[in-house]
Amino acid sequence: MIKRDERNNPIYQAKYLYLWKSYSIKLNGNPLACDCIMSAVAQEVKKLVQSRPHIRFRFSTWKCHWPQRLKNRMILEIEEDQWIVREEKGNTKCPVQCICLERCSDRRMIVDCERRNLTEVPSVVPQGLVELNLEANAIQSVPAYPYMVNVTILRLTNNQIKSLTASTVERLENIEILLIDANQLTTLPREIKTLNFTTLALDGNFFKCDCTTKWMKDWLVKERNRIKNIERVLCNSEHVHGQPMYSLPDDQFICLPQLKEKNAGIIAACILGALLALVMIVAVLIYKYNGEVKVFMFTHFNWHPFDRIDDSDPNKIYDAFVSFSGNDVGWVVNTLQRRLETHDPPYKLCIHHRDFEPGVPIVENIWKSLDQSKRMLVVLSSSYATSDWCLMEFRAAHRKVIEDRMKYLILILLEDVDTNQLDKEIQNYLRSNTYLTVKSKWFWQNLFYAMPFPTREITSERNQEHFAAIEEEREMACNTGDTVELV
C-alpha cells in the first residue's frame, strides 16, 4: 500500500508505475479503502490507462470495500468528488442518525441523512462547508439554523415540507444546488430570487397560480436555464390545474375574489347568451312554424294569441255558415256538423237545408246567412268547383273578406282537386291564403283554432222533412242555374 508520505515522491511514483505496467496485480478479497490515499493511486492509474488502454483489464479486481456506497466499484469508475477522508475517530458534531464524511477534493463535509425517518432537520452539523442530504424523510419545515450559511448543497426531495420561510432562504448564502422537489409547497418567499444557485428543483409541489404568485412565473422564465424540469413545475389552483406555471398566461394569475367575480361574469354571460340563443331559436321556430305554434298553444293551453278576431257583434247569431255541394252532404252532416255541434261547448252552424228561411229567395238567404255568421266554412271539392250556386256563395264570402279585412273565410279541401280547373278567384285565394286539408292529422286542431268562440245558444231542431225539401230545391237550383225560393 502507498504510504501517505510517498504520494508525492517521484522516485516512488516511478517505481509503482513500472510495477503496474509490468505486472497484473490481483486484489480479490482485499478490503480496499477508497479514501484520499487511494484517490492519489487512482489518479496515477487513470493516467497510465489513458496512455495504455490495453492494460485496463489488469485493474479489474481493484474494487472498493469502503465506504459502503462505493462498495464493489472499480477505482477507475470513481469520480473525483466521490473520494472521501477515512477518519478513525467519529465526528462529534455529526447528527446521531446520519453519516458524516469529508470529501478529499475540496474538504467539504457530506452529511448523509437520506431515508433516516427524520421528522426534523438536524440542529447541528460539522463545521465548514457542508453538503446536507435529507432526501426521503418526513420533514415538514426547514428552520433557519446558523450552519445553513455554510450549506452548499441542500437535498430535500421527497419530504412533507409545506412552506419555506424567508429567514431560511436568506441563510443560504453559499447554496449551489437546492433540491426541494416532491414536497407540499404552495408558494415561495420572494427572497429566493437573491440566491446564486446553479441548480434548483421545484417540481412535484402544489403551487397556487394566483395574483400572489405572478412574480414566480416571471422569475421562473428568467431563471429557466437553472430550474430543473421547469415544465413540471405545475399550477394547482381552483381555476387552473396541471398547467406549467412558467407558460401560464398572465391573465390567469387571479385571486379568488377576482376569480369569483370573473366566473360570475362568465356565468352571467353564458346564461344571457343561452337565453338569447333560446329566444332566437324560439323566434325562428315561431316564424317558421307560425301556424303550428298558434294551434299548439290553443289546443293545449286554450290560448288564442295574436290574431283573435273581434266576434262581439250581437247580430251574428251563427258561429259559421257552411257552404258545400250537395254531393258532399254525407261528410258535412255526419262528420263536420256532428263534430262541431257536439263540441263542448257546441258550435252553432248555419246549414242551408236546415236554417235557410222558407219562402225567401236563395240569394237573399245566402246574403243574410253570411251577415249573421262569424265565419264561412267552404267545403271545397270537385263538385263544389262546378256548381254556380256554390261559386256564388264563395264570391260573396270572398268579397266580405276583402271589405271587412278579416279572416272570415275558412277553406276546407275535402279531396284532391285539380287547381287548374278551379275558378280563377278560388285559385287566387288558394295562392295567397292558407287552407285546411281533411287528410291532415292536424285538421281538427287547425279548424278549432280558426273558428270563433262557440255561441252559447244551441241551434234549435227543425222539421227534418222541411230540410229535405229545401235541399232538394237547392240541388235543383245548383244543377239548373235557376233562382229557387224556399217555401
Side-chain angles (χ1 to χ4, degrees), residues 333-351:
V333 173
N334 296 326
T335 303
L336 181 66
Q337 179 183 343
R338 178 177 297 176
R339 185 72 178 268
L340 293 179
E341 291 190 344
T342 58
H343 185 268
D344 184 22
Y347 289 97
K348 186 175 182 180
L349 302 179
C350 179
I351 309 293

Side-chain angles (χ1 to χ4, degrees), residues 97 177 194:
Q97 293 177 283
I177 298 175
T194 63

Side-chain angles (χ1 to χ4, degrees), residues 180 184-185 225 255 279 293 322 379 394 401 457 462:
I180 197 169
Q184 300 176 18
L185 294 174
N225 293 329
C255 287
V279 169
V293 172
V322 184
V379 182
F394 175 81
V401 169
E457 180 184 354
R462 293 181 182 273

Side-chain angles (χ1 to χ4, degrees), residues 243-305:
Q243 290 184 250
M245 178 183 280
Y246 83 103
S247 62
L248 188 70
D250 290 351
D251 59 3
Q252 294 294 309
F253 286 86
I254 52 179
C255 287
L256 191 58
Q258 295 173 309
L259 178 61
K260 288 182 177 179
E261 184 177 339
K262 182 178 180 180
N263 287 345
I266 293 173
I267 293 172
C270 290
I271 292 174
L272 290 176
L275 289 176
L276 180 60
L278 181 61
V279 169
M280 292 180 66
I281 292 173
V282 171
V284 170
L285 290 176
I286 291 176
Y287 177 79
K288 186 175 182 179
Y289 303 101
N290 190 339
E292 290 85 346
V293 172
K294 291 179 180 179
V295 171
F296 179 85
M297 297 298 292
F298 178 73
T299 303
H300 292 81
F301 304 104
N302 198 29
W303 181 45
H304 202 304

Side-chain angles (χ1 to χ4, degrees), residues 44-55:
E44 298 300 326
V45 171
K46 285 181 180 180
K47 292 178 183 179
L48 179 62
V49 170
Q50 283 179 347
S51 61
R52 294 176 175 80
H54 62 280
I55 68 170

Side-chain angles (χ1 to χ4, degrees), residues 89 148 175 200 207 264 344 356 398 446:
K89 296 181 180 180
M148 287 291 180
I175 197 72
L200 174 63
F207 291 116
D344 184 22
F356 275 11
H398 192 203
N446 287 323

Side-chain angles (χ1 to χ4, degrees), residues 150-406:
N150 297 323
V151 175
T152 59
I153 298 178
L154 180 57
R155 303 177 187 272
L156 293 165
T157 302
N158 197 14
N159 276 278
Q160 301 172 16
I161 301 171
K162 298 179 179 179
S163 64
L164 198 61
T165 64
S167 58
T168 299
V169 172
E170 289 175 345
R171 289 276 187 181
L172 300 175
E173 296 178 3
N174 292 297
I175 197 72
E176 297 172 2
I177 298 175
L178 175 59
L179 307 182
I180 197 169
D181 49 315
N183 279 278
Q184 300 176 18
L185 294 174
T186 58
T187 187
L188 295 173
R190 288 179 181 265
E191 287 73 13
I192 200 166
K193 295 193 292 184
T194 63
L195 298 184
N196 189 26
F197 56 85
T198 58
T199 303
L200 174 63
L202 295 169
D203 54 295
N205 284 287
F206 306 105
F207 291 116
K208 58 184 180 180
C209 294
D210 58 21
C211 59
T212 64
T213 57
K214 168 62 172 58
W215 69 269
M216 281 184 59
K217 180 240 175 136
D218 300 332
W219 171 70
L220 286 172
V221 171
K222 181 180 177 181
E223 304 289 349
R224 61 185 305 167
N225 293 329
R226 298 195 292 171
I227 305 296
K228 186 179 180 181
N229 299 325
I230 189 172
E231 70 282 353
R232 295 200 308 218
V233 181
L234 307 178
C235 294
N236 188 54
S237 298
E238 291 184 15
H239 65 293
V240 57
H241 183 81
Q243 290 184 250
M245 178 183 280
Y246 83 103
S247 62
L248 188 70
D250 290 351
D251 59 3
Q252 294 294 309
F253 286 86
I254 52 179
C255 287
L256 191 58
Q258 295 173 309
L259 178 61
K260 288 182 177 179
E261 184 177 339
K262 182 178 180 180
N263 287 345
I266 293 173
I267 293 172
C270 290
I271 292 174
L272 290 176
L275 289 176
L276 180 60
L278 181 61
V279 169
M280 292 180 66
I281 292 173
V282 171
V284 170
L285 290 176
I286 291 176
Y287 177 79
K288 186 175 182 179
Y289 303 101
N290 190 339
E292 290 85 346
V293 172
K294 291 179 180 179
V295 171
F296 179 85
M297 297 298 292
F298 178 73
T299 303
H300 292 81
F301 304 104
N302 198 29
W303 181 45
H304 202 304
F306 314 127
D307 57 356
R308 170 61 72 187
I309 300 173
D310 183 9
D311 295 311
S312 59
D313 187 351
N315 295 320
K316 297 184 181 297
I317 61 176
Y318 296 107
D319 292 315
F321 168 59
V322 184
S323 175
F324 62 95
S325 168
N327 293 336
D328 304 319
V329 66
W331 183 84
V332 171
V333 173
N334 296 326
T335 303
L336 181 66
Q337 179 183 343
R338 178 177 297 176
R339 185 72 178 268
L340 293 179
E341 291 190 344
T342 58
H343 185 268
D344 184 22
Y347 289 97
K348 186 175 182 180
L349 302 179
C350 179
I351 309 293
H352 51 71
H353 63 254
R354 184 186 68 185
D355 298 306
F356 275 11
E357 186 176 349
V360 178
I362 290 181
V363 175
E364 186 177 336
N365 262 316
I366 291 174
W367 283 105
K368 183 178 180 181
S369 298
L370 289 173
D371 288 336
Q372 291 179 335
S373 301
K374 299 173 183 177
R375 303 286 187 279
M376 177 176 173
L377 301 179
V378 174
V379 182
L380 184 59
S381 64
S382 299
S383 300
Y384 189 97
T386 59
S387 172
D388 292 336
W389 284 106
C390 295
L391 294 176
M392 186 192 71
E393 291 176 356
F394 175 81
R395 293 189 183 104
H398 192 203
R399 192 174 301 111
K400 185 176 180 64
V401 169
I402 296 173
E403 291 174 356
D404 297 346
R405 296 183 179 181
M406 59 184 293

